[in-house]
Amino acid sequence: MKKVAAEEGIVAIGYDKQYGEYKRLYQFAKSLLFTPSSGLYSCPIAMTDGAAKTIQTLGIKKLDFAFKRLTSRDPSEFWTSGQWMTERGGGSDVGTGTETVAIPKSDGKYTLHGYKWFSSATDSDMAITLARVANSDGTVNPGSSGVSMFFLKTRNDDKNGSLNNIQVMKLKNKLGTRQLPTGELLLDGTEAELISDFGRGIPSITPMLTSTRIQNATASVSGMRRILNLARDYSKRRVCFGLPIAKYPLHINTMAQLELETRGGTSLLMETVRMLGRSEEGTNEPDEEHILRLLTPVLKLYTAKKGMSVMSEGLELFGGQGYIEDTGIPKHFRDAQVLPIWEGTTNILSLDVLRAIGKSKGETLNAFERNLKKRLKQSETARPELSSSVSSVGNQLDKLIRTLREHLVQESAARLYAFAIGDVAIGTFLLEHAASKAADKTDLTAAIRWAQHIPKFEELLARHETQPDTDSNELVFDCYENTD
């Protein structure tokens, strides 16, 4: 798969200047086809893309040699990268959880000493990791401001390619993604180079997170499409009570809902990717930079959770066969469960959505509103028969924006806000496509159906507000506090 990924340019396309602002669209369209057939090789590919993006964005000249390898189409030159952040102290809270210490050497490099608890792609050629630089007295600075970012090669340049003072302590026994070697690694004097400013490790991984979160969404959407394609084919072959199950309206309606969810996720993914490519080329409109920042966490959390529900329903469409390992269907479901967890859980990303809005002092929200309203108006003008659907999505957008302006600090509703942003964005993008010359009849049907069934945000919020945070705390904890 490494050879195939290199030759097909699964990473390289995203950095090929000949494609201009469309390079990311081309790359991720190809990734949608590659990912579900890659045996989880898409995971090291995601981290490789993230490493290349980080080197490019931060302009780390001394890693030009690594960037060329990460983006090479030559299998003999192509490198993959690990992303070793998680330690025993925690996942998302790397500012507190990072315990690895970097000890300066006389040649300007460092030796790393620590324990990386969850390191995927343990067979990678290099890794980007975090550590705390030791002060002259041996102490380290606590908190996020004490964490710096490092580059390391996993193997030495000797003829045997020995490990760079890295010990693989164990391989993880995971629920899914078992094809992918994830290990606990002891860094025992691992030679590394500092590639961020001192104490700027966490801000420096932002480009990597942008890339890997979009890659995560690609895995979600491509998995949804794969299970649905399999179920569609099966429905024409499986005969039940004298008829192929494709002849039963209830079965077809179930598949139609999964098709709608899959199209919605795909539209959200590809629009985010389009803006990423434009951002990298400097051709984004000002509003699109704000929207890209907002949609990236929304995209990841939305498609991951929808992916899990589609996988579960999709497995059920096979009946008992979907539960039997011999068919290969259960693997799709198990592998999908990592997607809401990796690169930030749903709650962590929901809070990031609020942070994206709050830090911009509302400008991100204003940009989102302007952009979507402009698109909705253009869709209605191009195809007047979509007027009712445009009104439906537009009404939900208005209610969402009004609520976010009034209640942004309501942290307990962060998930609700994030999914509502995803719902109205998808509705807008599907309508825009349905109004285009490229649309076919199914595109029109999908857009109208999405608008008809878009969750009523105001009702969901009202239901949430009848459940105070204090009640939730009592429900979870109070009945247990006096028990052993």
Side-chain angles (χ1 to χ4, degrees):
M1 293 313 298
K2 185 175 183 179
K3 181 175 183 291
V4 170
E7 291 176 342
E8 292 293 335
I10 303 299
V11 176
I13 290 169
Y15 301 88
D16 194 331
K17 295 185 182 300
Q18 69 172 309
Y19 302 117
E21 66 182 56
Y22 304 107
K23 60 184 185 296
R24 289 295 191 175
L25 278 171
Y26 180 17
Q27 177 194 20
F28 280 88
K30 204 165 191 177
S31 291
L32 279 172
L33 302 177
F34 172 79
T35 297
S37 298
S38 71
L40 262 296
Y41 200 72
S42 53
C43 179
I45 287 297
M47 291 184 286
T48 300
D49 193 11
K53 170 74 171 169
T54 301
I55 294 170
Q56 182 187 65
T57 302
L58 299 182
I60 307 173
K61 294 298 183 183
K62 64 181 177 181
L63 293 187
D64 280 351
F65 75 97
F67 179 81
K68 289 177 181 178
R69 284 183 172 271
L70 295 171
T71 58
S72 175
R73 287 176 177 263
D74 182 347
S76 66
E77 294 290 326
F78 180 56
W79 274 6
T80 58
S81 177
Q83 182 177 308
W84 301 348
M85 308 297 172
T86 305
E87 302 193 13
R88 287 176 288 196
S92 296
D93 186 11
V94 291
T96 301
T98 299
E99 298 176 341
T100 298
V101 176
I103 299 176
K105 294 176 61 183
S106 59
D107 62 359
K109 294 184 179 180
Y110 294 79
T111 57
L112 304 185
H113 304 262
Y115 199 93
K116 297 297 181 178
W117 186 79
F118 197 94
S119 304
S120 289
T122 51
D123 58 343
S124 61
D125 302 282
M126 57 165 277
I128 303 293
T129 191
L130 298 174
R132 298 182 188 277
V133 176
N135 298 317
S136 57
D137 60 358
T139 62
V140 295
N141 297 332
S144 299
S145 61
V147 178
S148 301
M149 186 169 69
F150 293 83
F151 159 84
L152 63 89
K153 293 181 182 179
T154 54
R155 295 185 178 273
N156 296 314
D157 294 330
D158 56 42
K159 64 179 180 179
N160 296 321
S162 59
L163 286 172
N164 179 12
N165 293 319
I166 300 168
Q167 295 182 45
V168 181
M169 305 306 291
K170 67 181 290 186
L171 289 178
K172 293 294 197 182
N173 185 15
K174 300 173 290 181
L175 168 69
T177 66
R178 291 170 177 259
Q179 313 95 305
L180 177 71
T182 301
E184 294 185 18
L185 306 180
L186 175 65
L187 308 186
D188 189 16
T190 304
E191 187 172 89
E193 293 185 59
L194 179 68
I195 56 172
S196 73
D197 292 335
F198 287 106
R200 297 291 296 169
I202 294 176
S204 296
I205 65 174
T206 298
M208 181 181 293
L209 291 177
T210 298
S211 177
T212 51
R213 284 172 177 173
I214 296 175
Q215 291 278 2
N216 194 96
T218 305
S220 298
V221 171
S222 65
M224 293 159 73
R225 176 56 65 195
R226 174 57 57 90
I227 198 75
L228 183 56
N229 283 347
L230 291 171
R232 183 187 293 109
D233 182 72
Y234 184 73
S235 72
K236 294 181 178 180
R237 302 169 186 270
R238 167 66 170 151
V239 175
C240 193
F241 301 110
L243 289 173
I245 57 177
K247 296 294 184 180
Y248 292 98
L250 181 58
H251 191 83
I252 294 303
N253 281 342
T254 302
M255 286 202 295
Q257 182 59 36
L258 301 190
E259 173 67 28
L260 190 62
E261 298 282 7
T262 302
R263 287 187 182 219
T266 304
S267 72
L268 186 59
L269 168 66
M270 299 312 283
E271 178 57 20
T272 306
V273 166
R274 185 189 71 84
M275 285 191 238
L276 174 65
R278 286 171 58 83
S279 176
E280 291 174 338
E281 290 296 307
T283 56
N284 252 353
E285 297 175 5
D287 278 0
E288 290 180 325
E289 287 298 320
H290 288 291
I291 298 168
L292 176 61
R293 170 66 181 94
L294 177 67
L295 287 188
T296 299
V298 169
L299 167 70
K300 191 275 182 183
L301 70 87
Y302 191 101
T303 56
K305 295 299 280 189
K306 294 294 184 180
M308 279 304 303
S309 63
V310 168
M311 282 291 178
S312 179
E313 195 73 64
L315 183 148
E316 191 177 338
L317 291 173
F318 293 88
Q321 295 289 356
Y323 199 69
I324 303 301
E325 293 287 353
D326 294 352
T327 66
I329 303 299
K331 177 183 72 66
H332 292 282
F333 181 75
R334 286 198 308 274
D335 289 351
Q337 183 59 73
V338 75
L339 298 171
I341 299 172
W342 190 59
E343 293 307 307
T345 61
T346 308
N347 284 347
I348 289 292
L349 289 167
S350 296
L351 295 175
D352 191 40
V353 171
L354 297 190
R355 191 158 47 246
I357 297 171
K359 280 194 171 183
S360 70
K361 298 181 179 179
E363 188 51 40
T364 292
L365 203 58
N366 295 336
F368 182 69
E369 181 183 26
R370 281 193 297 267
N371 186 277
L372 263 60
K373 284 189 171 182
K374 178 181 177 182
R375 291 173 182 230
L376 288 170
K377 184 176 181 180
Q378 290 173 339
S379 298
E380 185 175 24
T381 300
R383 200 153 187 172
E385 63 265 41
L386 290 174
S387 178
S388 176
S389 298
V390 167
S391 294
S392 179
V393 174
N395 287 338
Q396 292 307 309
L397 173 62
D398 288 339
K399 292 173 183 177
L400 171 62
I401 296 296
R402 183 172 62 250
T403 302
L404 282 171
R405 286 184 176 135
E406 295 172 356
H407 303 289
L408 182 59
V409 293
Q410 194 173 357
E411 183 180 302
S412 62
R415 271 189 181 223
L416 184 61
Y417 299 149
F419 280 97
I421 289 170
D423 286 332
V424 296
I426 289 171
T428 302
F429 301 153
L430 289 178
L431 285 166
E432 182 178 51
H433 183 63
S436 73
K437 294 179 180 179
D440 61 22
K441 185 179 179 181
T442 65
D443 295 318
L444 187 64
T445 300
I448 292 172
R449 184 172 290 199
W450 188 277
Q452 289 172 338
H453 296 108
I454 189 169
K456 301 297 185 285
F457 173 71
E458 209 164 40
E459 295 176 10
L460 295 173
L461 183 64
R463 192 182 309 160
H464 169 80
E465 290 177 339
T466 63
Q467 303 164 353
D469 295 347
T470 52
D471 288 356
S472 297
N473 193 69
E474 290 171 2
L475 187 64
V476 174
F477 292 111
D478 282 11
C479 63
Y480 296 103
E481 65 180 16
N482 293 319
T483 63
D484 291 335

